[in-house]
Amino acid sequence: MQSETPSGRTLTLILLSASLATFMSALDGTIVNIALPTISASFDLTTSSVAWVSTIYLLVMAGCLLIIGKVSDVVGFKKIFLIGFILFTIGSFTCGFLPDFTGQFSTLLASRVLQALGGAMMTVIAPAMLSYYLPGDRRAKGMSLVVLFAAVGMALGPTLGGYLTEYLSWHWIFFINVPIGIFAVLLGYAAIPKSAAATTSLKGFDSIGAVLVFIGLAALLFAFSEGVSLGWTSAPVLISIVLAVLGLGGFLWRELHYTDPLLDLSLFKSRSFIVLNVVFALLFFTFAGANYLLPFYLEHVHDYSVSFSGLIITAMSVGMMITGILAGLIYAKLKGKIRYLVMTGVALIAAGFFLLTHLTPVTGLGVIISALALIGLGLGLTTTPLTTLIMNAAPASKQGMVSSLTGLERFAPMTIGVAVYNIIFMHGIMTAVRNSGITEKPPGDIAAAILSHGFDLAFVVSVILAVVLFLLCIFIREDPAAGE
């Protein structure tokens, strides 16, 4: 099935629709966490209990991405886009309304499940829709717009969430999605063309594979997200690890033998396709390190306020905005040499992490902002071309499938990265003060100089990973999709 090529006003509206989906997904990923202490106080919950507001969203998103990617290839992008935004909008409204109306925290969690289903659809549909409707020479520019909106959403989330929670109430971090969601549904209904008739149907849908991948991914991310708090040898975490191995192992075996798989593993016969996906996933794994650890450094070592720390970290998002657009503009001019663009981005990321390996209690704000800006500039230069190359390597009939794969490769590595970087961070502290007992105290009570050892080790690991990524980029090839 060849891609359609709308032109003029229709194409602009499709771009806006996809960008809105990306913006809302990125915004929701950063706006909620800042309100968790307030939600905890409202329902008199422990920290671990209120964390389920984020955890349940994460588990549902992870489990649904590949399933939705396959479904979108069959039923069409327009239906998935509209259903996704409708579910996300209804879920957002009930997140803000039902908890106080019923007086039950459980209704907030149930609403987050509904919101996550819609969010998974939005995450899948944006790159798939652009890759399907845009001609090859314009895809990178479209992807760069998506990167820009994602960066804006990431940057705006903590600040906007803080203001809404402080001056209105935590309910408004969800209510704010409602008018945007209604607008997006109306826009998508008017702008997105109906997909051509699918060559396959959901009659042979791999329901067993869907169950296996949902259980496997949800169990894997639960183990990593809860391993530190529950203990890596606790029964829930060990059971989750076993379920993850059985679920994901069974899923891979199923996909190799099923005639119409959720994930076509034959795509990975291309060495370049494997390299592209590995680089893409590891980039977001390392990004999670800076995004997770820097607030602790700024707040506990430099004693900056939460709002000022959030403002400093937006330097990363600003960098992504600048080079995300630039990468889209020059992509077509670098045909055959795009790996050099990615390598330049990875080099900038490595330089940023190298600066962060020198964090001390007296490190100047200029060094920190420069490091974050370099990481952001590098992410902008790499995300657009990598996404475009991965999508270009798949035939039009599998754009939803591959788009869901890129969504998973952003989402899961960041979640796992937070857990891994936390382990590295604590190991660095224990190495510095072994047997002193200081690591049993809360972060705010640990001497700033000792904390710095943990940050140093974590960012040294990031530099090493960046060097590995740079070497992997040498093997990137611009392979066209089979049959296109």
Side-chain angles (χ1 to χ4, degrees), residues 26-56:
L27 180 71
D28 196 70
T30 56
I31 199 173
V32 173
N33 285 350
I34 200 166
L36 291 183
T38 306
I39 296 173
S40 175
S42 296
F43 291 95
D44 194 25
L45 298 170
T46 63
T47 302
S48 58
S49 295
V50 78
W52 273 97
V53 176
S54 294
T55 302
I56 200 164

Side-chain angles (χ1 to χ4, degrees), residues 58-77 80 116-125 128 200-202 204-218 247-248 251 254-255 260-264 397-409 411:
L58 151 85
L59 299 184
V60 174
M61 279 276 289
C64 290
L65 282 170
L66 289 178
I67 299 168
I68 291 168
K70 176 63 178 179
V71 172
S72 70
D73 282 333
V74 177
V75 306
F77 300 130
I80 295 297
L117 286 171
M121 294 180 182
M122 291 157 53
T123 299
V124 168
I125 213 65
T200 59
S201 71
L202 290 176
F205 180 75
D206 185 9
S207 55
I208 294 177
V211 171
L212 288 171
V213 74
F214 184 91
I215 292 174
L217 287 171
L248 294 177
F251 171 72
R254 174 82 175 177
E255 300 312 281
D260 189 20
L262 292 177
L263 180 62
D264 188 352
S397 61
K398 295 178 182 177
Q399 290 297 302
M401 178 189 293
V402 177
S403 180
S404 67
L405 181 64
T406 61
L408 188 61
E409 288 168 348
F411 187 69

Side-chain angles (χ1 to χ4, degrees), residues 319-398:
M320 285 183 67
M321 293 179 204
I322 295 170
T323 50
I325 290 293
L326 180 64
L329 294 174
I330 65 176
Y331 181 93
K333 298 178 182 179
L334 291 175
K335 194 169 184 180
K337 301 179 181 178
I338 295 171
R339 71 175 179 272
Y340 299 118
L341 180 63
V342 179
M343 291 169 77
T344 301
V346 173
L348 289 173
I349 293 170
F353 280 128
F354 180 75
L355 285 179
L356 292 179
T357 61
H358 294 75
L359 293 180
T360 69
V362 295
T363 301
L365 197 55
V367 174
I368 298 169
I369 293 175
S370 297
L372 291 174
L374 284 171
I375 293 170
L377 290 168
L379 283 169
L381 278 182
T382 53
T383 303
T384 296
L386 283 173
T387 305
T388 307
L389 287 173
I390 292 171
M391 297 302 297
N392 285 350
S397 61
K398 295 178 182 177

